[in-house]
Amino acid sequence: YDVDPEDPYLLSNGTLLGFKPGEPLSEYRDALRPGKIRDGEGDWEVFFIDGAEGGELGYLMADPEDAEAIGDIFITSPSVVTEQGVRVGTSYPELIERIGAITFRGSETESRVHGYKDGLAYRLDYLHPSPDLDNAQIPATATVQAVIIQGS
């Protein structure tokens, strides 16, 4: 994939806009917007990442083992693209074409489906209530809902 110069934000080498898991949160607090999200597991304190135009690109969480360090970074905007050309909204078949074979697992808590490869997780908009998931069950209509740069 050739990165399009029109793509405003590139996720490269496990970083987005200089944010990288393990880095000290204190160095980036001024560039982040504190907030909360709620999911099936509870309420979470997060730091929202805004783009230059003010649109939200995603959020990050503190590392669960070190509250002063950046943990997982969740990309939720299609304005961010990986070096392989994957972004929020990429179809499941195109994802496989771009990154190769990847195994997906469901989740018992919220039935979220994630695939993991090369330090990134890809959350699909397809739900499955069990970790045991045959990729053949994932419909071609499924799309990437989030790209996650994984922390420790």
Side-chain angles (χ1 to χ4, degrees):
Y1 174 78
D2 292 327
V3 176
D4 186 333
E6 297 297 314
D7 287 331
Y9 302 101
L10 177 65
L11 188 163
S12 178
N13 297 318
T15 66
L16 172 67
L17 299 175
F19 300 113
K20 184 173 185 168
E23 294 290 314
L25 256 173
S26 60
E27 291 184 23
Y28 301 97
R29 278 195 202 272
D30 291 343
L32 298 167
R33 184 169 41 89
K36 290 186 185 233
I37 60 167
R38 173 177 284 174
D39 66 16
E41 295 180 26
D43 293 334
W44 304 94
E45 298 219 5
V46 300
F47 298 92
F48 291 102
I49 303 166
D50 294 325
E53 302 80 30
E56 188 177 296
L57 302 177
Y59 60 92
L60 59 83
M61 301 176 89
D63 186 317
E65 295 176 16
D66 179 0
E68 296 303 313
I70 295 173
D72 291 346
I73 301 171
F74 296 77
I75 309 306
T76 57
S77 167
S79 296
V80 179
V81 64
T82 70
E83 291 173 296
Q84 294 82 20
V86 176
R87 66 179 76 233
V88 169
T90 297
S91 71
Y92 171 67
E94 187 177 357
L95 173 68
I96 300 307
E97 179 182 313
R98 292 189 182 272
I99 68 169
I102 182 172
T103 301
F104 284 87
R105 294 191 308 245
S107 141
E108 293 177 359
T109 305
E110 290 191 299
S111 300
R112 290 183 175 168
V113 172
H114 292 86
Y116 303 88
K117 187 166 188 173
D118 300 329
L120 297 177
Y122 302 90
R123 179 185 300 156
L124 300 180
D125 62 1
Y126 171 70
L127 302 176
H128 191 272
S130 167
D132 299 322
L133 173 62
D134 181 343
N135 282 17
Q137 295 174 272
I138 301 172
T141 56
T143 61
V144 174
Q145 187 177 51
V147 178
I148 304 161
I149 305 171
Q150 297 179 273
S152 58

